[in-house]
Amino acid sequence: MSASVRNTVTSQENGSIFKNTLSHSIKKRSSNLDNELKKKSVVVNQAQAEESKAKKKDTTHYYSVETLADLQYRSQIKVLEKVYGEEVDMTPKPIQDDTYVEQFMKYNLNVMHQMTNFTTMVTKSTTRSRTRSSVRAGIGGNKQSIDDLMNGILYETINWEPYSTVEALEEAYEPKPYTKSFLKITLRKSDFFEIHSQTQTTVAKGTPEGDDAERDNRNYEYLTVGKGKIRRRSDNDAQTDTLLFTTRAVNTILITKATVSSYVSNFEMYDTLNNITKEFATATMSSVKDLTSALAQTEEADTFEDDEAVAEKDKVTSQIERLFRSPEFRNAIMYMGRTLSSNTNEAGLRRFRNFDQVERWNAEAEYVYSMNLLFRLVPEPSKDERKAVSDIDFCRSNGDILAVAYGLYSFSSQHVPTSGSVFLWSIKNPGEPERAYYYDVPVTAISFSPFLPSLLAIGLYDGSVEVRDVSSLQDTPVAVSQRSTSPGSSPVVAIRWIKQVSDDDHETDIDPFLSLSQDGSVTRFRIIKSPFLLGFTQMILERVEGHPEGIFVHPSSRIPCESNRHPQGLSITTHPLHKDIYYVLTDEGCIHKCSINYQHQYLEVLRCHDGGVTVMEFSPWSPKLFLTCGNDWFVRIWIDGITRPLLELLDEMTPVHWAKWSPTHSTIIVTVNRETANVWDFRRNLLRPMSKHKMDSSFNTVARFSHCGRTLVIGNERGNTLFNALNDMPFSPHFQYDELEKAIFKAIGNDHELLMELKSIGFFGYPNKKAVF
């Protein structure tokens, strides 16, 4: 460092002497100056090269010393972490890559060396060019030229020592060398999965730890190579799949399956579906042969005496009757009828099964509430008399099975049929019934059991009741009523099954049912282990005195006193939630709320119509909302807790025989009167129905919805049962209860008092807003 300082001082002294003598002899000095600059330029280059080598060595030494110091410092640090109660060494290990460190340091030193050479070359070229310009300039005058100023300034800045120039540039543009001797690596913990852990320890013998280790070793040897290896085993059965294994020798080639079209006739389908045994086929063929031979013998018997002809005819008749009494022959006829009926009713059957439904994204969908005829059930008249459809009911478990009662519908009819029947129809064969039960009196009411779907309760015109098992081919009923337990002789107008309420969990009796007679008596029947039904009187209705709750009806001045103390029963309905509650509808226009726990008093009486109440039906989306229809031409909607009707629907001045909520739309009601079937949607219109349809030339009697709610079955007085498809209906809303509540509040918005009463009830739907059918 002393030599460099000394050289710097010498260069400054030479510069000052050169300035003092410049005014006297410029030309002489310029030639000497050029020679001197050339010499010093050579000195600068040599000194710079030597200084560069020395500095490189010093820098390398500096980095190596710093790296060793850092590594030595980090080797004294140890990182420990507790994992599941044990200390684990988590100290990062140094990266052993000396080659990479040397390359990194060489790259930084080369960059610094190139910058030093570039600075020296700039200084050299600037000194040479501006010295020449200063020689050419003249002296004199107060003004100094720009070249003189620049030459003077640049000349004074000439530094003959290259290290001082490099240090000045490093202060202005100092590169940041890589001073760290390690790379930063972030380690994160992952999920710890322990598959197997068996610790291995080494402890001093005789210590408590040593005793534990020896005990563990003895236990390990006992379980692996000692007597503990042989353990007690027991075989037991378990519910596992039975796998059947086969050898490779018996494996067959993979069978590929494909869907291909093929022609199958109706006879081939019948042969596939029939379950006739070979024995029955042989017996049937022998019977047919006997029948054929008997017929041939009958033709020949005309030439013989009359006594022999009568004997042969009786033989043929007995054989035919025996053939028709055979259950296998009847099943064969039934299967054949199902196969052949598909040729004429295919379109109607497809619509009944909802095969072709309109999608929600159909742009051509129209809401016209149309009703189209699918097919009709026409029974064969018995005893050559026409009987009206008195009741209809679908099987609860199978929506393809329909029971139709034929007998008397209007009790004011001038002509009462002398017989009745119950036909069991299947949608697979609309042409012929699959079961037929005939009676000597008209049938007035039927009802399938919702708990045992094969049981059918039948009420007759003479007041008797019987239960049949429709799954049996026998014509014998399960049980019938008797006069000792049910002395009433009035026609049975309605039957409803009720759920058995019993605290005994082991009770295995069949659920009872209620029977309503025309004289206003309610009888409860129970099926027991006997050919007779066990019945007792549940309730006997009395006429209402005064003005009960509900609508106000002026007393009739023509009839000051009724001739009968008991009102006429018209229908019976059960509560959707409370299994012990039932409602009796009478010709007074009142609804009597009763309980099976009380036999001599009502729970409540509500007057709904000025005339007879024919139907009471609860909404599928609310256990409190119900509708009623009657002979005063009105259809009214009520809610439990309010004695005023919420809505009143009136279109024609004719009694309404039947009304029910649509199972698919919460705001649609279908009503049936004597001539037409009307579709109401009180969300859209309260003054008139959305559509009116005249079904047939005969008067309508009763109706039922199919299980899906898209088909309406209507019976008439001629005995025909019409299946009508409800087409062009609005799409079902996603939130049925919300739409129902919104429509009702909108309809009664003008009646402030009624609106407040309805709001005080609050939520009147089922839990979770579900539907109950």
Side-chain angles (χ1 to χ4, degrees):
M1 294 299 293
S2 60
S4 61
V5 173
R6 183 171 58 255
N7 292 335
T8 303
V9 172
T10 304
S11 63
Q12 291 177 356
E13 291 176 356
N14 291 335
S16 61
I17 296 172
F18 178 75
K19 291 177 64 178
N20 294 329
T21 58
L22 183 61
S23 60
H24 299 284
S25 54
I26 296 175
K27 295 181 179 180
K28 183 178 179 180
R29 186 62 178 167
S30 62
S31 59
N32 297 332
L33 183 60
D34 292 336
N35 297 330
E36 188 175 359
L37 286 172
K38 292 179 180 180
K39 294 179 181 180
K40 290 193 175 186
S41 175
V42 173
V43 174
V44 169
N45 292 334
Q46 294 177 356
Q48 182 179 0
E50 294 176 359
E51 184 67 19
S52 170
K53 294 180 180 179
K55 191 169 185 179
K56 183 176 181 181
K57 293 180 179 181
D58 294 341
T59 305
T60 305
H61 177 71
Y62 169 76
Y63 277 111
S64 60
V65 172
E66 185 180 3
T67 301
L68 295 175
D70 290 342
L71 292 176
Q72 185 177 3
Y73 173 73
R74 288 179 59 83
S75 62
Q76 300 175 2
I77 299 174
K78 187 175 183 181
V79 180
L80 298 177
E81 185 174 353
K82 286 189 176 182
V83 178
Y84 294 104
E86 297 182 359
E87 292 185 353
V88 181
D89 188 3
M90 305 295 289
T91 306
K93 296 182 180 180
I95 299 176
Q96 303 296 334
D97 195 356
D98 299 336
T99 305
Y100 175 80
V101 176
E102 292 178 2
Q103 290 179 358
F104 185 82
M105 293 182 177
K106 287 180 181 180
Y107 172 79
N108 289 340
L109 294 178
N110 291 335
V111 171
M112 294 174 58
H113 180 65
Q114 291 175 4
M115 292 181 64
T116 305
N117 294 337
F118 176 77
T119 306
T120 306
M121 292 175 63
V122 171
T123 305
K124 178 180 178 181
S125 60
T126 305
T127 305
R128 184 180 303 172
S129 61
R130 294 185 177 177
T131 303
R132 293 177 182 176
S133 61
S134 63
V135 173
R136 291 194 298 269
I139 302 174
N142 296 328
K143 295 183 179 179
Q144 191 175 7
S145 63
I146 296 176
D147 293 337
D148 294 337
L149 292 174
M150 296 296 295
N151 290 334
I153 294 172
L154 294 174
Y155 185 76
E156 290 178 355
T157 58
I158 294 175
N159 190 357
W160 301 102
E161 189 67 25
Y163 298 106
S164 60
T165 304
V166 171
E167 292 175 358
L169 289 174
E170 287 180 354
E171 292 177 0
Y173 307 98
E174 181 179 0
K176 296 181 180 180
Y178 188 82
T179 58
K180 295 183 179 180
S181 60
F182 59 91
L183 297 177
K184 182 179 179 180
I185 300 175
T186 303
L187 300 178
R188 295 183 176 88
K189 292 178 60 177
S190 61
D191 296 336
F192 181 77
F193 299 97
E194 182 178 354
I195 299 177
H196 177 71
S197 177
Q198 184 173 0
T199 58
Q200 181 179 1
T201 57
T202 302
V203 295
K205 188 174 182 181
T207 61
E209 292 81 4
D211 297 337
D212 294 339
E214 291 181 352
R215 190 183 303 108
D216 190 14
N217 294 338
R218 288 193 300 269
N219 188 22
Y220 181 79
E221 292 178 358
Y222 173 77
L223 294 175
T224 54
V225 297
K227 294 182 179 180
K229 183 178 180 181
I230 303 174
R231 302 181 183 90
R232 178 181 299 177
R233 296 178 178 86
S234 62
D235 297 333
N236 196 1
D237 296 335
Q239 295 181 353
T240 57
D241 296 336
T242 303
L243 301 179
L244 302 178
F245 297 95
T246 58
T247 60
R248 183 174 298 180
V250 300
N251 287 341
T252 59
I253 302 175
L254 179 63
I255 300 175
T256 58
K257 298 181 180 180
T259 303
V260 295
S261 59
S262 60
Y263 172 77
V264 180
S265 65
N266 292 331
F267 298 99
E268 292 174 344
M269 287 190 290
Y270 163 70
D271 294 337
T272 305
L273 294 175
N274 75 83
N275 57 351
I276 303 175
T277 60
K278 294 182 179 180
E279 293 77 10
F280 171 72
T282 305
T284 304
M285 291 300 296
S286 62
S287 301
V288 171
K289 290 179 181 179
D290 295 340
L291 180 60
T292 305
S293 61
L295 291 174
Q297 294 175 4
T298 303
E299 293 178 357
E300 297 176 355
D302 294 339
T303 59
F304 297 99
E305 297 179 359
D306 295 338
D307 296 338
E308 295 180 358
V310 172
E312 292 295 336
K313 289 181 180 179
D314 293 340
K315 182 179 180 182
V316 172
T317 303
S318 63
Q319 290 178 354
I320 293 176
E321 291 179 354
R322 186 180 61 182
L323 182 63
F324 278 101
R325 285 197 301 267
S326 173
E328 291 81 2
F329 185 75
R330 293 168 61 181
N331 281 334
I333 294 176
M334 182 179 64
Y335 294 146
M336 179 65 73
R338 290 181 179 180
T339 306
L340 297 178
S341 65
S342 62
N343 298 332
T344 57
N345 301 296
E346 181 181 1
L349 295 176
R350 289 176 58 86
R351 175 58 185 84
F352 182 82
R353 289 294 186 89
N354 301 315
F355 283 170
D356 303 324
Q357 293 188 16
V358 180
E359 302 295 342
R360 289 182 177 268
W361 54 81
N362 190 353
E364 299 179 357
E366 297 180 356
Y367 302 154
V368 296
Y369 302 83
S370 63
M371 195 177 294
N372 302 325
L373 179 64
L374 299 180
F375 46 83
R376 65 176 64 206
L377 308 179
V378 181
E380 182 181 357
S382 60
K383 295 186 179 181
D384 297 331
E385 59 181 358
R386 188 182 68 181
K387 294 180 283 292
V389 176
S390 58
D391 203 356
I392 300 174
D393 197 16
F394 276 93
C395 181
R396 299 298 193 274
S397 62
N398 190 348
D400 292 344
I401 299 177
L402 175 71
V404 182
Y406 301 94
L408 182 65
Y409 176 75
S410 178
F411 295 99
S412 62
S413 177
Q414 297 180 358
H415 174 70
V416 178
T418 59
S419 63
S421 58
V422 175
F423 286 178
L424 203 66
W425 300 84
S426 175
I427 306 304
K428 300 177 182 178
N429 183 15
E432 293 290 337
E434 300 195 354
R435 298 284 190 276
Y437 308 111
Y438 298 96
Y439 300 93
D440 295 333
V441 293
V443 180
T444 55
I446 56 174
S447 178
F448 271 106
S449 172
F451 316 109
L452 292 176
S454 62
L455 295 183
L456 178 65
I458 302 172
L460 303 179
Y461 185 74
D462 61 354
S464 60
V465 179
E466 67 177 37
V467 178
R468 287 184 177 271
D469 186 2
V470 297
S471 63
S472 176
L473 296 176
Q474 305 296 330
D475 292 337
T476 305
V478 175
V480 297
S481 62
Q482 53 183 345
R483 290 297 179 184
S484 60
T485 57
S486 55
S489 59
S490 297
V492 178
V493 295
I495 296 175
R496 290 293 181 273
W497 294 79
I498 58 176
K499 183 65 178 176
Q500 180 173 326
V501 180
S502 177
D503 298 335
D504 189 3
D505 297 337
H506 302 285
E507 189 71 30
T508 58
D509 293 342
I510 301 175
D511 296 279
F513 62 91
L514 300 177
S515 171
L516 175 63
S517 299
Q518 189 180 7
D519 59 358
S521 61
V522 180
T523 307
R524 182 179 179 181
F525 290 98
R526 182 184 294 275
I527 301 175
I528 60 176
K529 296 179 181 180
S530 171
F532 299 102
L533 292 171
L534 178 62
F536 60 92
T537 302
Q538 180 68 40
M539 173 70 68
I540 297 179
L541 302 179
E542 300 289 342
R543 289 201 175 271
V544 178
E545 298 180 359
H547 298 284
E549 294 181 340
I551 64 173
F552 177 77
V553 177
H554 293 279
S556 176
S557 59
R558 296 183 179 180
I559 307 176
C561 181
E562 297 286 348
S563 61
N564 190 350
R565 295 181 56 189
H566 305 287
Q568 178 181 351
L570 298 180
S571 182
I572 187 170
T573 303
T574 56
H575 196 277
L577 292 182
H578 305 291
K579 305 305 180 182
D580 60 331
I581 302 297
Y582 64 94
Y583 302 85
V584 181
L585 285 60
T586 64
D587 63 339
E588 294 181 308
C590 295
I591 295 178
H592 299 258
K593 184 178 180 181
C594 308
S595 173
I596 61 175
N597 300 322
Y598 302 96
Q599 301 180 9
H600 303 287
Q601 60 182 355
Y602 316 128
L603 300 180
E604 185 180 348
V605 178
L606 180 68
R607 186 181 294 276
C608 299
H609 294 271
D610 185 7
V613 187
T614 55
V615 172
M616 175 186 178
E617 185 70 27
F618 281 91
S619 172
W621 289 273
S622 174
K624 297 181 179 181
L625 194 69
F626 61 92
L627 63 84
T628 59
C629 65
N631 296 333
D632 60 350
W633 319 330
F634 279 95
V635 176
R636 293 187 173 96
I637 298 178
W638 307 76
I639 191 169
D640 193 8
I642 300 178
T643 58
R644 296 172 54 191
L646 301 179
L647 301 177
E648 292 184 343
L649 307 177
L650 172 64
D651 179 57
E652 297 178 356
M653 290 181 286
T654 178
V656 181
H657 293 175
W658 180 86
K660 191 171 184 180
W661 301 87
S662 172
T664 58
H665 300 78
S666 59
T667 59
I668 292 181
I669 297 174
V670 179
T671 64
V672 175
N673 55 35
R674 195 175 186 183
E675 295 181 353
T676 62
N678 303 332
V679 181
W680 293 82
D681 191 350
F682 58 85
R683 181 180 60 174
R684 300 176 181 270
N685 199 335
L686 291 171
L687 302 179
R688 62 176 183 176
M690 301 303 298
S691 63
K692 300 171 62 176
H693 307 279
K694 185 175 178 59
M695 295 292 96
D696 206 351
S697 59
S698 181
F699 294 145
N700 301 323
T701 55
V702 294
R704 287 290 184 274
F705 270 114
S706 62
H707 288 348
C708 65
R710 294 181 174 88
T711 303
L712 181 66
V713 182
I714 302 176
N716 55 29
E717 291 187 352
R718 188 173 295 175
N720 297 340
T721 305
L722 285 67
F723 281 71
N724 303 277
L726 298 173
N727 296 328
D728 302 323
M729 301 287 288
F731 296 111
S732 302
H734 294 286
F735 305 101
Q736 297 272 14
Y737 172 79
D738 296 337
E739 290 294 331
L740 175 63
E741 185 182 36
K742 181 179 178 182
I744 292 177
F745 275 98
K746 180 181 178 181
I748 65 173
N750 295 330
D751 193 339
H752 182 71
E753 182 179 354
L754 183 60
L755 183 62
M756 291 296 101
E757 291 183 8
L758 182 59
K759 287 184 177 180
S760 64
I761 294 179
F763 177 76
F764 52 87
Y766 287 98
N768 300 325
K769 300 181 181 181
K770 64 179 181 179
V772 176
F773 298 99

